[in-house]
Amino acid sequence: MAAATNFSHSPLISKTRTYSLNHYPFPKNTILPFKLSKSYSLKPLSLKAVISQQNPATTTTQETTQFKHCFTKSQDGFLYCENLKVQEIMESVERRPFYLYSKPQITRNVEAYKDALEGLSSIIGYAIKANNNLKILEHLRGLGCGAVLVSGNELRLALRAGFDPTRCIFNGNGKLLDDLVLAAQEGVFVNVDSEFDLENIVAAARIAGKKVNVLLRINPDVDPQVHPYVATGNKNSKFGIRNEKLQWFLDAVKAHPNELKLVGAHCHLGSTITKVDIFRDAAALMVNYIDEIRSQGFEVDYLNIGGGLGIDYYHSGAILPTPRDLIDTVRELVLSRNLNLIIEPGRSLIANTCCLVNRVTGVKTNGTKNFVVIDGSMAELIRPSLYDAYQHIELVSPASPDAEVSTFDVVGPVCESADFLGKDRELSTPAKGAGLVVHDAGAYCMSMASTYNLKMRPPEYWVEEDGSVSKIRHAETFEDHIRFFEGL
């Protein structure tokens, strides 16, 4: 199989300038001098989400097909990606751990959202933090996505990939002034997360000489019922403004008509959410806030409900909400207020399109535990170590007929007891050199990879629509590491 390795390069964007404190429009360590209006106040609202039961009848055959896993185990015992044997792909690429994607599956996932959003004015804002591969970003941009950013470098990468900056949203609880200046120059939507964040956005608008379109990120105090590390919309989260502080922010925006234009409201509940009632209940709160904001004369046209739709990491056949299930829960609320809807999927667009492909180094036991040791590790894929996350693991080819089935911890070579990809997995005892994959590795895996123990970040490949395999990211090498010290 031919592997295309040439990368197309977009023209460089202008470099971000560095500004000294002498150019900063506010005195150091000051807070904007706004007081809560005595004549108007908003009552704090809170809500605990309702557990919903998904009805299998609500998931159409078309949607089931679109989200069908692109990696399938055939009756011959081999794992396939879009009709290609993963074993054969392993034999044709570099002999090291690598990420393998299905480009057609990425397309199918985006089309599922586009179909669900039909009839609504909307932006599918792909969350770059989930996966920042340039070739994947270019493909998503070509499919009509906008981009959701949480750093200045993600904004620079989005511009390099050709995203329309007016369809990009800059999130984050600690955005830096230089990055905000670039966002202001490019016309990106910016979410207001705190008092000091608003102060910095005003400063950036003055430096750039442009008014910034802002959304207020309101913390709705909704429990998304997920791992606490990925819950972002409850009262203990570092993200967003408390609803009882909303009037202060409205007064602050009114005081800066030359720098700020309030265009919408935003909330983000968390990640890996599998109950769409949570989105519906949060949206109901948000449109009430929008009603209050509009009543004060603001022309608010956007509702950003964030992202966070979960996937079937367990490969259990569970019937999980589809993009249509999600959008249908908020559709009438959005239409009733004539709003543009922004949705921020990352995981549900990219996670199930990819596997981390590894080779077995050996099998060992300590008398009470059995281990499959592979060449991949927490350096390449940290989610299990960081979140105790489950990702499905299987062999890429049939084991020998006499291989014993046992329970194993699948671990890597990194010098940490936390270096595991899966615990207590029932597998046929694999032979040395056998292929083993960690499924659903497209989101928050390569983007969180490190060089710990000097395990250099791996290459990435995808299967094209025509069945060929292309390299979409070069592997890092030891020489790359040494370059950081040249000339010092």
Side-chain angles (χ1 to χ4, degrees), residues 75-312:
Q75 290 183 345
D76 61 8
F78 286 91
L79 184 67
Y80 287 76
C81 177
E82 301 289 352
N83 299 317
L84 293 182
K85 278 186 179 181
V86 175
Q87 181 67 49
E88 293 181 356
I89 297 173
M90 291 178 65
E91 294 166 359
S92 68
V93 301
E94 299 169 70
R95 190 177 178 85
R96 59 189 291 176
F98 64 93
Y99 282 96
L100 176 65
Y101 300 81
S102 161
K103 187 179 181 183
Q105 184 68 46
I106 298 173
T107 302
R108 291 192 290 265
N109 290 351
V110 173
E111 291 299 325
Y113 270 100
K114 291 169 72 172
D115 290 346
L117 288 162
E118 187 174 358
L120 294 176
S121 176
S122 63
I123 297 175
I124 302 173
Y126 169 70
I128 288 180
K129 65 191 175 93
N131 188 307
N132 55 32
N133 183 289
L134 177 61
K135 306 304 289 184
I136 291 173
L137 295 180
E138 289 173 343
H139 182 53
L140 290 166
R141 182 260 303 158
L143 293 170
C145 291
V148 175
L149 325 157
V150 292
S151 73
N153 281 339
E154 286 191 355
L155 171 53
R156 294 175 184 90
L157 186 61
L159 295 173
R160 179 73 67 88
F163 282 94
D164 178 353
T166 65
R167 291 171 58 82
C168 293
I169 304 95
F170 192 9
N171 291 338
N173 69 304
K175 299 182 286 291
L176 301 179
L177 179 60
D178 280 354
D179 297 338
L180 286 168
V181 171
L182 177 61
Q185 290 170 338
E186 296 293 340
V188 171
F189 289 109
V190 179
N191 277 328
V192 178
D193 190 87
S194 66
E195 292 87 346
F196 72 78
D197 196 35
L198 187 144
E199 181 179 324
N200 285 335
I201 296 167
V202 170
R206 291 176 177 173
I207 293 169
K210 289 188 176 182
K211 185 181 293 189
V212 180
N213 290 325
V214 297
L215 294 87
L216 295 179
R217 179 168 181 172
I218 300 171
N219 185 328
D221 194 13
V222 171
D223 178 9
Q225 301 170 28
V226 296
H227 191 288
Y229 286 7
V230 293
T232 59
N234 54 38
K235 65 182 179 181
N236 294 321
S237 173
K238 72 175 184 177
F239 298 103
I241 64 177
R242 295 289 295 143
N243 46 34
E244 60 264 28
K245 291 277 290 183
L246 179 56
Q247 187 59 50
W248 187 95
F249 284 90
L250 296 179
D251 290 342
V253 173
K254 288 176 185 176
H256 288 87
N258 297 323
E259 292 88 8
L260 306 176
K261 181 179 180 181
L262 179 59
V263 299
H266 170 243
C267 71
H268 195 291
L269 305 179
S271 194
T272 69
I273 298 171
T274 58
K275 303 175 181 67
V276 292
D277 288 356
I278 294 171
F279 292 100
R280 181 200 63 212
D281 296 343
L285 285 176
M286 295 302 295
V287 297
N288 286 335
Y289 288 130
I290 287 174
D291 289 343
E292 299 285 4
I293 293 167
R294 283 175 168 176
S295 74
Q296 297 192 46
F298 291 100
E299 296 179 1
V300 172
D301 298 320
Y302 290 89
L303 171 61
N304 184 341
I305 62 169
L309 192 64
I311 67 167
D312 183 15

Side-chain angles (χ1 to χ4, degrees), residues 215-433:
L215 294 87
L216 295 179
R217 179 168 181 172
I218 300 171
N219 185 328
D221 194 13
V222 171
D223 178 9
Q225 301 170 28
V226 296
H227 191 288
Y229 286 7
V230 293
T232 59
N234 54 38
K235 65 182 179 181
N236 294 321
S237 173
K238 72 175 184 177
F239 298 103
I241 64 177
R242 295 289 295 143
N243 46 34
E244 60 264 28
K245 291 277 290 183
L246 179 56
Q247 187 59 50
W248 187 95
F249 284 90
L250 296 179
D251 290 342
V253 173
K254 288 176 185 176
H256 288 87
N258 297 323
E259 292 88 8
L260 306 176
K261 181 179 180 181
L262 179 59
V263 299
H266 170 243
C267 71
H268 195 291
L269 305 179
S271 194
T272 69
I273 298 171
T274 58
K275 303 175 181 67
V276 292
D277 288 356
I278 294 171
F279 292 100
R280 181 200 63 212
D281 296 343
L285 285 176
M286 295 302 295
V287 297
N288 286 335
Y289 288 130
I290 287 174
D291 289 343
E292 299 285 4
I293 293 167
R294 283 175 168 176
S295 74
Q296 297 192 46
F298 291 100
E299 296 179 1
V300 172
D301 298 320
Y302 290 89
L303 171 61
N304 184 341
I305 62 169
L309 192 64
I311 67 167
D312 183 15
Y313 278 111
Y314 284 86
H315 288 211
S316 62
I319 297 179
L320 298 178
T322 66
R324 184 171 298 278
D325 294 328
L326 167 57
I327 300 304
D328 282 351
T329 62
V330 303
R331 177 181 296 276
E332 293 306 317
L333 286 167
V334 173
L335 290 173
S336 70
R337 304 312 199 275
N338 194 28
L339 291 164
N340 302 293
L341 180 65
I342 301 174
I343 184 79
E344 300 182 352
R347 182 187 315 276
S348 57
L349 283 181
I350 197 69
N352 74 344
T353 70
C354 175
C355 281
L356 176 65
V357 185
N358 312 271
R359 283 182 171 82
V360 174
T361 304
V363 176
K364 64 177 290 187
T365 182
N366 64 6
T368 58
K369 271 272 189 185
N370 300 318
F371 299 91
V372 173
V373 184
I374 59 174
D375 53 358
S377 70
M378 65 184 293
E380 290 84 6
L381 197 160
I382 199 173
R383 289 187 71 252
S385 299
L386 183 62
Y387 302 122
D388 200 25
Y390 181 98
Q391 291 182 233
H392 189 59
I393 290 174
E394 65 180 326
L395 301 175
V396 306
S397 57
S400 63
D402 58 349
E404 182 180 352
V405 176
S406 296
T407 300
F408 296 93
D409 284 4
V410 178
V411 301
V414 163
C415 193
E416 294 283 348
S417 295
D419 179 26
F420 64 90
L421 284 301
K423 290 187 173 182
D424 299 323
R425 304 302 177 87
E426 190 174 278
L427 298 168
S428 296
T429 303
K432 182 177 180 180

